[in-house]
Each structure stands twice: as structure tokens, then as C-alpha cells.
Amino acid sequence: MQSCVMHCFWSVSDVSKRWHFQIFFPMLFVAALPNVFTLDAQALDTSSIAFKPKTGAPPFGSFLQQTLDVSFVQPIFNQLDQEAGPLITRGEAHITVIAPTEFANVFDGVLSIQEINTIAKQSKIQSSAFSPICVARQSQIETKKTAGRRTDLIGKRTFVYNILVQAPQLVSIRQSIANAFVQKGGDATLFNATDYTPHITLGFENHDWFPENGVYKVPSTCFATVNVQ
């Protein structure tokens, strides 16, 4: 059962039309789950955490992230695991800035992951400010391809949980990377820096879901607020 209990204000981008608009999305109440979670304010300061380059083989090994201290988001995962679990965690926390598919499909061959990392470090990615908007969840129906070894899940809907955040400095870093890409001869129409929904993945029932699966981590999927203390 879902009912509108409050509204969440967000700036989003229409990927197909490449323009922006402001929209109000209802925040949805999810039965049996808390509607408020507490996040330690120390989670928002990542300036003392070392930058962690991700330079593996495409299509999934190379990407850009702002690394967080997982210990500060673990309590929210633990609470969700008790209420909606069992859930799987990656055991770390980050905000993806350039997704693996963005690097593989757009930048690779024009702008290397090392060049992207240099831009990120020069832009002080680990000192970038962000603020939580809500705790959200998204879902999709498992197919034979997505379920993997969990054949018992085929045809069933599985969920992922995350903290949606506002991160204008990360958008600026994406724009700097886009500029460098174009300067090296890249097609400017292939990448829009503001087509971006930053979030911190908390956990999932089977695996994460992505836009390639038709799943978007947007404010219409919010179900709980975040109280920073």
C-alpha cells in the first residue's frame, strides 16, 4: 500500500530532450518500513578519505566515484536489513560520478580513465559537498538473465535501497570531464553532465538495478526522510 505523505522537491533532467525542469514528486509510504532514518553528520565529510581510482577493464571495471566511510551508512543498512531483509551489501559506500557504462560507451577511446581521475583529483572530488534527500527503493522483475543463479527469483520483483543526494559539486566535476572530452574531439551530444541522479547504494535483495534495466534512482522512489545528526 502506498500513500502520499509529503512532497520532495528535485531538479531532474529529461535525458531524451536534454532540458531541465523542476518537479514535485510524492514521497511514498512503504508499509512496514520506517519513514525516517538517522545519518551521522560525519558521513558528509569525506575530505580525509583517500581517493580510490577504479581502473579495471571496461565495460564495468572503470568508473569514477567519491568514496565514503561505510561505517556511517552501515546503521541505515542494518535497519533496512532487519525490516526488509535479508539484504546484500557491498561492504563499502560511494557516490558514483561517472558510471561504468558512461565510461565504456562515451569516454573510452577519447578520454582515458586516468585523465578522468586527474580531473577529479584536481577538482578535489573527496572534498565535494553533498546532502541527503531521502532513502529510496526501486525494483524490477527478475528474468532468467538478471536472476543469475537465483532461479527461484525468476518472475519475481526484487528491490534495491539507496540514499538519494544532492551533489552540485559532483555535477561540476562531470561538466569538467565533459569539457575535456569535447576538447579531445569527443561528440558533445553523447554526454550531458546534468543527466545524473547521485545516490549512495545501501543494499539489495539480489543485485543492484541500473538504468540499463529500466530502473532509475529518482525522487519518485523516495519512501523515507533522512535526519542528519
Side-chain angles (χ1 to χ4, degrees), residues 140-222:
Q140 185 58 280
I141 295 173
E142 298 279 3
T143 65
K144 183 177 181 180
K145 182 178 180 179
T146 64
R149 296 178 182 177
R150 291 293 308 273
T151 56
D152 59 307
L153 294 177
I154 295 174
K156 297 181 180 179
R157 185 173 295 277
T158 63
F159 291 87
V160 299
Y161 296 84
N162 34 75
I163 301 172
L164 304 189
V165 302
Q166 287 183 318
Q169 290 174 270
L170 297 183
V171 175
S172 294
I173 291 173
R174 284 171 58 87
Q175 187 60 60
S176 296
I177 292 167
N179 294 343
F181 173 67
V182 172
Q183 288 170 3
K184 293 195 69 177
D187 184 347
T189 66
L190 295 179
F191 182 76
N192 187 333
T194 55
D195 289 341
Y196 180 48
T197 54
H199 60 275
I200 305 163
T201 299
L202 293 166
F204 32 83
E205 289 184 309
N206 186 33
H207 54 76
D208 206 349
W209 288 114
F210 302 99
E212 305 90 85
N213 310 115
V215 176
Y216 298 90
K217 293 161 185 176
V218 295
S220 58
T221 61
C222 292

Side-chain angles (χ1 to χ4, degrees), residues 31-32 41 48 65 72 75 78 93 99 101 169 189-190 206:
S48 63
Q65 71 176 38
F72 296 125
N78 292 343
T101 51
Q169 290 174 270
T189 66
L190 295 179
N206 186 33

Side-chain angles (χ1 to χ4, degrees), residues 68-155:
L68 282 64
D69 186 335
V70 68
S71 67
F72 296 125
V73 298
Q74 188 70 33
I76 297 180
F77 169 82
N78 292 343
Q79 194 172 356
L80 285 169
D81 189 44
Q82 290 179 352
E83 301 288 346
L87 299 178
I88 300 167
T89 175
R90 295 191 179 105
E92 54 85 38
H94 68 269
I95 302 170
T96 299
V97 182
I98 298 294
T101 51
E102 288 180 314
F103 177 74
N105 297 334
V106 177
F107 299 109
D108 194 21
V110 178
L111 192 68
S112 71
I113 191 62
Q114 289 78 15
E115 290 172 304
I116 288 173
N117 288 339
T118 296
I119 293 169
K121 288 186 287 186
Q122 290 174 344
S123 302
K124 302 186 184 303
I125 186 172
Q126 284 301 128
S127 297
S128 296
F130 62 92
S131 58
I133 298 300
C134 70
V135 176
R137 77 170 186 172
Q138 305 83 29
S139 67
Q140 185 58 280
I141 295 173
E142 298 279 3
T143 65
K144 183 177 181 180
K145 182 178 180 179
T146 64
R149 296 178 182 177
R150 291 293 308 273
T151 56
D152 59 307
L153 294 177
I154 295 174

